[in-house]
Amino acid sequence: MGLSTPSYMEIQVSVVLAVYNGEAYLGEAVESVLAQTFRAFELIVVDDGSTDGTAEVLERFRFAEPDRVRVIQLDENSGQGEAFNRGIAVARGKLVSFMDCDDFWFPEKLECVDSDFGDPDKVALHQHHLGLFEDGNLLKSNYCPALSIGDVFGASKHSNRLSNFVPTSGLTFSKRALDQVGAIPASFRICADGYLTRTAICFGRVSGTDRALGAYRIHESNHTFQNESFDNDKYVRGLLVPELNAFYARRHISHRVQLDDGSETFDLSDGRASIDALNLAQGDRVVVVRSAPPRRLKPILAILLERGLRVDLLVQEGIEREFAMEGVTLHQIPAGPMSAETISTELEQALIKIDPKCLLIVYNGTSPKPYQNMHLVLAGLSLECPIVGLSTLGTLHPLDRVAVKQQGEQPADREVSQRFSNPPPRHFDRNDNRLLEMKDLFSGRRAFLIGNGPSLKMEDLDCLKDEVTIASNKIFLAYDSTEWRPTVYSMCDEVVARNNEETVRELPHLKIFADSVRKYLWTDSDAVFLNPKQSRDPQDDVIGWDLIRGANAGHSVLNLSIKIAYWMGIRELYIIGADHHFIVPDTKTGERIMNNDVIVSTGERNHFHAGYRPAGETWTVPKFAEMEADFAESKRILESAGGRIWNASRFSKLEVFERADLDEVLAQDLAPKV
C-alpha cells in the first residue's frame, strides 16, 4: 500500500466496490485492487449500510491511502443498484471497473484492461475471464466458458436472447456509456450488473481479454453461484426483462425482449430434439437431478413423460411438492449444495436396482462449469448408465466419469499465497487432448478443402488420395465412386446432422465438429467437438485460430475447414467444389435453426450427387453475404500468419479468394506464384 498515489489529472480508471456486511473477505478484495501494477486509478468503496465490521476495515485502507481510497457511507441498506449509482456519480476515470467485495484481482488486471479496452468513445464495456476460487484454492476452470465481444447488442436483437456476461469483478465500462445508461433502478438490490451490461451495450461494442485476470470466490453466502435459493428465472422474468424493456421504451430503442413463450430460458423444440437424441426407448427409466428452478426443470420432466419414459427425480428436502407430477417418482436428498453425503448408500442401492438408462442433469444455463461439484458426486455412483447434462441451448454434455474423477483427485492448482501472480490454467478435457495431438500434425503440407457443389468431380478426388483433405456433410455419397477418403471429416449444420446422424456416426474418419451439432452426434466417441466461440475474436489476429479456445464456423463448413487446416499447421490451402451458387425453392417450413430459415427440397440441383438432397428433405437457406464476409475475415487472418488460400473449383461464383487452375495445382508440388 506504499505505492505512488495519482494526482487528479492522472486518474484513468475508477474502481467501484459496493459492500454490505462483507467484512469476511473485504480486506483481501481491497488489497488486490491496491496491488495493481497499473497505478493511474482511484478506488471508490460504497458501504451500503453495513452493520458488521465493514466500516473498520475500510477505515484502515482510507487512512493508509487517503488520496486513492474514497469511502461513501450510506446510512441504511439501499441495495447494490443504488450503491453502484453513488459510486458512478463521483467516478473521475474514463473507465469504471467494478469489484465485488468477496472476489480478488490479479496484479496485472487493470494494466491488461487499459491495454485491451479499445476506444472508450466506441467501446461500451470490456470483460475478462474470472477463475473460480474455493476453500483457499484456485480451481481448474473459469466462471464462463467463452466471452461475447463485438456488436453484442446487434446479436441479441437478432436472436432475441439475453447475452451472457462475466460477473461483476470481470467488468469495466466506459464512463461515457454509463452516463448514457443513467441510474440503475433501485429494484436491483442484487445482480445490478445484469442490468448495466445489457443496457450499456446499446451504446457501443464489447471488447475482451481471453484469460483470467481475477477470481470469483465460491463460499456459503454467494447470492447466485450454486445457490439453490436464488431463482434465476424469477430474476430474469420478474425483474431484469421488464426493466430492460422499460429502458428500451424510454430511450426509443426499437427492441423488446419477448419471453412469453419461454424461449429465453429454454426452447422446448430444442428440448424435445435433445431428449430424442438420447436414444431412449419407451418405458426406460431416467434419473433426473433437481439442479435448476422449477420453471426450467418441469418442462423437461414433461417432455420425458411425453416420450413415454419413467422418471425418478432426486429432489431436495422441503420442495418436493413443487414436483408432484404423475409419472415422476421422487427421491428425497438433503437440502443444500451436493456433496459426498448427499446420496446415501440406501439411495444409491435403490437407483442401482431400478437400472436407469440415463442420469440427466438439467443445467440452469449454457455451461456445465458451475456443476463440477455435482459431476464429481454423480460420477462416483455405481451406476452403469451414461450421465448427461442438458443446457438451456438444448446442447447435450455427456460426462466422462474417468476424467471427472481424475480432476477431483488432483491437488489444487494454487495456494492462497500464489494466487495473484499465477492465474489458474484452463482445464483440458478429452477433446482438448485430442486437439493437442492434431496441432501442427501436417505442418509443411498443403491441403484441399472439399465443397459439395456440382463442380466436384470424382476423378479429381481420385487424384487427392495422397493429399491432406478436409470434407464435410454428405461427402460420403461419393464413396461408391472413388477410393479417395478425407483426412478429416467436419460438420456444423444442425439440419444435416439431424437428417444423417446414424450414417455420420458410422464413418471411420477423424471427425471434428462444431458445437452446434453436438446435440445429435454426442454419442459419437470418434468425434471431437469444438467449444462455441464468438464470430469475431481480436485474439485471432494475434495468435491465429486456437481450437483449444474454441471455433466459430460462421455460415459455412468450408470456413470451419480453413480453421481446422490452420490448427494442423497447414498454410497452403485450395478449395474445390465450392460453386457458391444455389437454386433455392420457395418452400419455407416456418422453422428456424441457428437464425436460418428451414426449407423443403423439391429435388437435387445444387450438389455433386443426384441423391444428395432428395425431394422432401429439409435444409437451411444459405446466406451468401455472410458467408463471403466470413471467408474474407479468414483470408485476412490466414495471410497475416503467412498462409495463402486459392479457389481451385472447376466452376465457382466465389470471388473472395484468388483463383487457381486445379489441373496446374495437381501437376506441381508448389503453390502457384503470387
Side-chain angles (χ1 to χ4, degrees), residues 257-273:
V257 181
Q258 302 291 336
L259 294 180
D260 292 340
D261 60 354
S263 60
E264 164 53 34
T265 53
F266 190 67
D267 187 328
L268 287 180
S269 63
D270 282 347
R272 291 189 175 93

PDB file of all heavy atoms in Angstrom, residues 257-273:
ATOM      1  N   VAL A 257     -37.391  -7.488 -25.429  1.00  0.00           N
ATOM      2  CA  VAL A 257     -37.125  -8.898 -25.150  1.00  0.00           C
ATOM      3  C   VAL A 257     -38.461  -9.589 -24.926  1.00  0.00           C
ATOM      4  O   VAL A 257     -39.238  -9.165 -24.074  1.00  0.00           O
ATOM      5  CB  VAL A 257     -36.225  -9.062 -23.908  1.00  0.00           C
ATOM      6  CG1 VAL A 257     -35.951 -10.538 -23.646  1.00  0.00           C
ATOM      7  CG2 VAL A 257     -34.924  -8.303 -24.093  1.00  0.00           C
ATOM      8  N   GLN A 258     -38.747 -10.627 -25.710  1.00  0.00           N
ATOM      9  CA  GLN A 258     -40.012 -11.354 -25.617  1.00  0.00           C
ATOM     10  C   GLN A 258     -39.768 -12.698 -24.936  1.00  0.00           C
ATOM     11  O   GLN A 258     -39.006 -13.511 -25.426  1.00  0.00           O
ATOM     12  CB  GLN A 258     -40.605 -11.572 -27.019  1.00  0.00           C
ATOM     13  CG  GLN A 258     -40.859 -10.288 -27.786  1.00  0.00           C
ATOM     14  CD  GLN A 258     -41.991  -9.466 -27.200  1.00  0.00           C
ATOM     15  OE1 GLN A 258     -42.866 -10.008 -26.517  1.00  0.00           O
ATOM     16  NE2 GLN A 258     -41.980  -8.171 -27.459  1.00  0.00           N
ATOM     17  N   LEU A 259     -40.447 -12.930 -23.812  1.00  0.00           N
ATOM     18  CA  LEU A 259     -40.256 -14.181 -23.085  1.00  0.00           C
ATOM     19  C   LEU A 259     -41.568 -14.922 -22.847  1.00  0.00           C
ATOM     20  O   LEU A 259     -41.604 -15.906 -22.122  1.00  0.00           O
ATOM     21  CB  LEU A 259     -39.603 -13.905 -21.721  1.00  0.00           C
ATOM     22  CG  LEU A 259     -38.179 -13.374 -21.759  1.00  0.00           C
ATOM     23  CD1 LEU A 259     -37.685 -13.158 -20.337  1.00  0.00           C
ATOM     24  CD2 LEU A 259     -37.258 -14.319 -22.486  1.00  0.00           C
ATOM     25  N   ASP A 260     -42.645 -14.478 -23.476  1.00  0.00           N
ATOM     26  CA  ASP A 260     -43.949 -15.093 -23.194  1.00  0.00           C
ATOM     27  C   ASP A 260     -43.981 -16.574 -23.533  1.00  0.00           C
ATOM     28  O   ASP A 260     -44.704 -17.359 -22.915  1.00  0.00           O
ATOM     29  CB  ASP A 260     -45.051 -14.376 -23.985  1.00  0.00           C
ATOM     30  CG  ASP A 260     -45.252 -12.956 -23.475  1.00  0.00           C
ATOM     31  OD1 ASP A 260     -44.837 -12.681 -22.333  1.00  0.00           O
ATOM     32  OD2 ASP A 260     -45.809 -12.139 -24.217  1.00  0.00           O
ATOM     33  N   ASP A 261     -43.202 -16.996 -24.560  1.00  0.00           N
ATOM     34  CA  ASP A 261     -43.226 -18.402 -24.960  1.00  0.00           C
ATOM     35  C   ASP A 261     -42.171 -19.235 -24.265  1.00  0.00           C
ATOM     36  O   ASP A 261     -41.986 -20.405 -24.588  1.00  0.00           O
ATOM     37  CB  ASP A 261     -43.032 -18.534 -26.473  1.00  0.00           C
ATOM     38  CG  ASP A 261     -41.698 -17.954 -26.932  1.00  0.00           C
ATOM     39  OD1 ASP A 261     -40.988 -17.355 -26.099  1.00  0.00           O
ATOM     40  OD2 ASP A 261     -41.370 -18.113 -28.121  1.00  0.00           O
ATOM     41  N   GLY A 262     -41.451 -18.611 -23.310  1.00  0.00           N
ATOM     42  CA  GLY A 262     -40.436 -19.362 -22.580  1.00  0.00           C
ATOM     43  C   GLY A 262     -39.143 -19.540 -23.342  1.00  0.00           C
ATOM     44  O   GLY A 262     -38.269 -20.267 -22.903  1.00  0.00           O
ATOM     45  N   SER A 263     -38.973 -18.849 -24.483  1.00  0.00           N
ATOM     46  CA  SER A 263     -37.805 -19.127 -25.315  1.00  0.00           C
ATOM     47  C   SER A 263     -36.518 -18.624 -24.700  1.00  0.00           C
ATOM     48  O   SER A 263     -35.455 -19.119 -25.036  1.00  0.00           O
ATOM     49  CB  SER A 263     -37.983 -18.478 -26.697  1.00  0.00           C
ATOM     50  OG  SER A 263     -38.133 -17.074 -26.579  1.00  0.00           O
ATOM     51  N   GLU A 264     -36.608 -17.650 -23.788  1.00  0.00           N
ATOM     52  CA  GLU A 264     -35.368 -17.143 -23.200  1.00  0.00           C
ATOM     53  C   GLU A 264     -34.699 -18.186 -22.319  1.00  0.00           C
ATOM     54  O   GLU A 264     -33.507 -18.408 -22.410  1.00  0.00           O
ATOM     55  CB  GLU A 264     -35.651 -15.872 -22.388  1.00  0.00           C
ATOM     56  CG  GLU A 264     -34.563 -15.452 -21.439  1.00  0.00           C
ATOM     57  CD  GLU A 264     -33.207 -15.316 -22.077  1.00  0.00           C
ATOM     58  OE1 GLU A 264     -33.115 -14.931 -23.243  1.00  0.00           O
ATOM     59  OE2 GLU A 264     -32.219 -15.603 -21.393  1.00  0.00           O
ATOM     60  N   THR A 265     -35.487 -18.828 -21.469  1.00  0.00           N
ATOM     61  CA  THR A 265     -34.879 -19.778 -20.563  1.00  0.00           C
ATOM     62  C   THR A 265     -34.706 -21.144 -21.183  1.00  0.00           C
ATOM     63  O   THR A 265     -33.806 -21.871 -20.839  1.00  0.00           O
ATOM     64  CB  THR A 265     -35.724 -19.916 -19.277  1.00  0.00           C
ATOM     65  OG1 THR A 265     -37.079 -20.205 -19.649  1.00  0.00           O
ATOM     66  CG2 THR A 265     -35.708 -18.641 -18.480  1.00  0.00           C
ATOM     67  N   PHE A 266     -35.598 -21.500 -22.134  1.00  0.00           N
ATOM     68  CA  PHE A 266     -35.437 -22.807 -22.770  1.00  0.00           C
ATOM     69  C   PHE A 266     -36.350 -22.911 -23.974  1.00  0.00           C
ATOM     70  O   PHE A 266     -37.519 -22.548 -23.915  1.00  0.00           O
ATOM     71  CB  PHE A 266     -35.755 -23.931 -21.785  1.00  0.00           C
ATOM     72  CG  PHE A 266     -35.373 -25.278 -22.298  1.00  0.00           C
ATOM     73  CD1 PHE A 266     -34.041 -25.595 -22.473  1.00  0.00           C
ATOM     74  CD2 PHE A 266     -36.330 -26.215 -22.624  1.00  0.00           C
ATOM     75  CE1 PHE A 266     -33.675 -26.836 -22.948  1.00  0.00           C
ATOM     76  CE2 PHE A 266     -35.963 -27.464 -23.091  1.00  0.00           C
ATOM     77  CZ  PHE A 266     -34.636 -27.771 -23.252  1.00  0.00           C
ATOM     78  N   ASP A 267     -35.825 -23.388 -25.077  1.00  0.00           N
ATOM     79  CA  ASP A 267     -36.597 -23.623 -26.293  1.00  0.00           C
ATOM     80  C   ASP A 267     -37.073 -25.067 -26.262  1.00  0.00           C
ATOM     81  O   ASP A 267     -36.283 -25.993 -26.353  1.00  0.00           O
ATOM     82  CB  ASP A 267     -35.709 -23.370 -27.517  1.00  0.00           C
ATOM     83  CG  ASP A 267     -36.497 -23.442 -28.818  1.00  0.00           C
ATOM     84  OD1 ASP A 267     -37.465 -24.221 -28.882  1.00  0.00           O
ATOM     85  OD2 ASP A 267     -36.125 -22.728 -29.766  1.00  0.00           O
ATOM     86  N   LEU A 268     -38.403 -25.272 -26.121  1.00  0.00           N
ATOM     87  CA  LEU A 268     -38.920 -26.623 -25.968  1.00  0.00           C
ATOM     88  C   LEU A 268     -38.656 -27.489 -27.186  1.00  0.00           C
ATOM     89  O   LEU A 268     -38.512 -28.703 -27.077  1.00  0.00           O
ATOM     90  CB  LEU A 268     -40.418 -26.571 -25.669  1.00  0.00           C
ATOM     91  CG  LEU A 268     -40.791 -26.102 -24.255  1.00  0.00           C
ATOM     92  CD1 LEU A 268     -42.296 -26.095 -24.088  1.00  0.00           C
ATOM     93  CD2 LEU A 268     -40.141 -26.975 -23.207  1.00  0.00           C
ATOM     94  N   SER A 269     -38.593 -26.869 -28.387  1.00  0.00           N
ATOM     95  CA  SER A 269     -38.289 -27.674 -29.568  1.00  0.00           C
ATOM     96  C   SER A 269     -36.876 -28.224 -29.480  1.00  0.00           C
ATOM     97  O   SER A 269     -36.612 -29.380 -29.836  1.00  0.00           O
ATOM     98  CB  SER A 269     -38.456 -26.831 -30.835  1.00  0.00           C
ATOM     99  OG  SER A 269     -37.539 -25.746 -30.854  1.00  0.00           O
ATOM    100  N   ASP A 270     -35.946 -27.401 -28.960  1.00  0.00           N
ATOM    101  CA  ASP A 270     -34.588 -27.888 -28.721  1.00  0.00           C
ATOM    102  C   ASP A 270     -34.601 -28.987 -27.676  1.00  0.00           C
ATOM    103  O   ASP A 270     -33.871 -29.974 -27.775  1.00  0.00           O
ATOM    104  CB  ASP A 270     -33.680 -26.743 -28.234  1.00  0.00           C
ATOM    105  CG  ASP A 270     -33.234 -25.845 -29.379  1.00  0.00           C
ATOM    106  OD1 ASP A 270     -33.426 -26.250 -30.534  1.00  0.00           O
ATOM    107  OD2 ASP A 270     -32.724 -24.756 -29.096  1.00  0.00           O
ATOM    108  N   GLY A 271     -35.461 -28.826 -26.636  1.00  0.00           N
ATOM    109  CA  GLY A 271     -35.528 -29.824 -25.585  1.00  0.00           C
ATOM    110  C   GLY A 271     -35.997 -31.169 -26.096  1.00  0.00           C
ATOM    111  O   GLY A 271     -35.435 -32.206 -25.763  1.00  0.00           O
ATOM    112  N   ARG A 272     -37.006 -31.164 -26.929  1.00  0.00           N
ATOM    113  CA  ARG A 272     -37.511 -32.425 -27.468  1.00  0.00           C
ATOM    114  C   ARG A 272     -36.466 -33.092 -28.357  1.00  0.00           C
ATOM    115  O   ARG A 272     -36.275 -34.315 -28.304  1.00  0.00           O
ATOM    116  CB  ARG A 272     -38.803 -32.170 -28.233  1.00  0.00           C
ATOM    117  CG  ARG A 272     -39.972 -31.770 -27.327  1.00  0.00           C
ATOM    118  CD  ARG A 272     -41.302 -31.725 -28.073  1.00  0.00           C
ATOM    119  NE  ARG A 272     -42.388 -31.466 -27.136  1.00  0.00           N
ATOM    120  CZ  ARG A 272     -42.851 -30.246 -26.852  1.00  0.00           C
ATOM    121  NH1 ARG A 272     -42.312 -29.200 -27.451  1.00  0.00           N
ATOM    122  NH2 ARG A 272     -43.822 -30.086 -25.985  1.00  0.00           N
ATOM    123  N   ALA A 273     -35.806 -32.293 -29.201  1.00  0.00           N
ATOM    124  CA  ALA A 273     -34.773 -32.868 -30.064  1.00  0.00           C
ATOM    125  C   ALA A 273     -33.631 -33.443 -29.241  1.00  0.00           C
ATOM    126  O   ALA A 273     -33.086 -34.508 -29.565  1.00  0.00           O
ATOM    127  CB  ALA A 273     -34.245 -31.793 -31.028  1.00  0.00           C
TER     128      ALA A 273
END
